[in-house]
Amino acid sequence: FGFQSIKLKGGALSPETEVDCILALREAFGGDTPLRLDPNAIWSVDTAIHWGKKMEGVLEYYEDPTRGQENMAKVRNALSIPLATNMCTTSFGDLPGSISHGSEDIILADHHYWGGLRASVELGRICSTFHRGLSMHSNSHVGISLAAMTHLAAAVPNLTYAVDTHYPWQSEEVIKGGRLPIEDGALAVPTGAGLGVELDREALERLHQNYLR
């Protein structure tokens, strides 16, 4: 797919094993490939700091190593690695706490729970005002959501970190024409009315029957 950044989804094996994986990725891909680790907020503050020290100078960012804004701020203050989140700051109501605690450097937005496309553009402006980096979180999604995500990414000028996607893992689609092509690590903004994609109702019905079964 030509991706230039690599994220390890952690929180499944021991912290030592996952940090060893990051160091092995660094060795395999070299120091110019941005690496990210996401323990999914299951580590304690002490664990996050201890293992984070071993990844200073290696990670592009450390995503949600522990849970909650106050705990994230403790980790952030102890390390020289930027912290990112899509778990401790997930709504506009969370932003005052984020800013007062200094809980993260990068917000990984998701238009599904930040209130849609226009609201997510406004989040970009707030991040710019308070010197937060901005990227986008991805969960498993099919073409309608991915098209919306792509339009949003193109519309936010300060989205300066490569966005996440789980799309390569999926084999089926619900839009006409099948899977959207990723080339050289990038996805072209769909053209046409609306989001630029059209629902394939037969494909949707097949997947619905899979769900029912």
Side-chain angles (χ1 to χ4, degrees), residues 38-58:
D38 176 12
N40 287 288
I42 71 164
W43 291 354
S44 69
V45 170
D46 289 343
T47 296
I49 293 172
H50 173 78
W51 292 106
K53 290 284 187 184
K54 299 181 184 302
M55 296 182 288
E56 289 182 326
V58 175

Side-chain angles (χ1 to χ4, degrees), residues 82-143:
L83 260 62
T85 188
N86 75 301
M87 296 180 75
C88 78
T89 301
T90 60
S91 70
F92 288 98
D94 294 330
L95 288 173
S98 166
I99 294 161
S100 64
H101 292 299
S103 54
E104 75 280 317
D105 302 277
I106 304 154
I107 292 179
L108 305 178
D110 185 323
H111 62 279
H112 299 95
Y113 54 70
W114 277 93
L117 301 183
R118 289 184 181 274
S120 297
V121 170
E122 185 63 27
L123 172 64
R125 296 190 183 101
I126 293 172
C127 285
S128 180
T129 300
F130 289 98
H131 307 292
R132 291 290 193 276
L134 182 65
S135 188
M136 295 179 71
H137 159 256
S138 167
N139 212 319
S140 298
H141 50 203
V142 287

Side-chain angles (χ1 to χ4, degrees), residues 13-35:
L13 305 175
S14 70
E16 181 178 10
T17 300
E18 293 180 352
V19 172
D20 283 346
C21 288
I22 286 290
L23 298 178
L25 286 168
R26 169 72 174 269
E27 183 176 352
F29 288 93
D32 294 332
T33 299
L35 300 176

Side-chain angles (χ1 to χ4, degrees), residues 123-186:
L123 172 64
R125 296 190 183 101
I126 293 172
C127 285
S128 180
T129 300
F130 289 98
H131 307 292
R132 291 290 193 276
L134 182 65
S135 188
M136 295 179 71
H137 159 256
S138 167
N139 212 319
S140 298
H141 50 203
V142 287
I144 297 170
S145 175
L146 183 60
M149 184 178 178
T150 306
H151 280 281
L152 177 59
V156 179
N158 57 312
L159 195 147
T160 52
Y161 291 85
V163 303
D164 291 352
T165 182
H166 295 194
Y167 198 61
W169 303 349
Q170 298 168 214
S171 59
E172 296 175 291
E173 251 304 355
V174 296
I175 57 172
K176 290 186 177 179
R179 291 168 53 81
L180 296 171
I182 297 173
E183 298 177 355
D184 296 327

